[in-house]
Structures are given as C-alpha cells and as structure tokens.
Amino acid sequence: MEKITLNVEGMSCGHCINAVENNVGKLQGVSSVKVNLDSGAVEVVFNTSEVSIDTIKETIDDQGYDVK
C-alpha cells in the first residue's frame, strides 16, 4: 500500500468532502480517503498494482476540483 497526499483546490463544504471521499473511495484498490477541508489536502491510501495516482487525480478532477 502507498499513501499520498494531494493538494486540491475548490473544496469548501461538507458536500465537497463527501463527493471526493465517496468517489475516490469507490475506486478498486483504494483502502482509505481522508479530506482535510482547512488545508485542502486529500490523503489516499491505495494499492499501486490496482489503481494509479493519475486515476485518483482524474476522479477528483471529475468532481469539479483542481488537483495541484
């Protein structure tokens, strides 16, 4: 398992947290997702043999947020 922290812009409320955590959490190989709204950080623990960092970033981007 690998853990990454992504900087995400555009999250401002509980709905934003749920959108990111629920959609990234559904990806095959993701074991946990934690959003810190104050810092704009999204911490993801995932299996690199099942899902790529690019797929995780695209999923967040698809929710309308900018991954930096």
Side-chain angles (χ1 to χ4, degrees):
M1 293 298 223
E2 183 174 335
K3 179 163 89 170
I4 59 166
T5 301
L6 301 170
N7 293 316
V8 179
E9 293 182 353
M11 300 183 300
S12 61
C13 63
H15 172 75
C16 301
I17 294 170
N18 290 336
V20 172
E21 288 183 349
N22 290 338
N23 286 285
V24 174
K26 290 178 186 175
L27 294 172
Q28 181 77 27
V30 172
S31 64
S32 72
V33 184
K34 178 84 171 134
V35 172
N36 183 321
L37 200 57
D38 293 331
S39 66
V42 177
E43 184 179 277
V44 184
V45 178
F46 64 103
N47 185 334
T48 56
S49 66
E50 294 184 62
V51 66
S52 70
I53 293 172
D54 286 341
T55 299
I56 293 167
K57 288 179 178 179
E58 287 171 15
T59 302
I60 294 170
D61 188 60
D62 288 347
Q63 300 310 306
Y65 309 108
D66 294 322
V67 180
K68 299 296 178 192

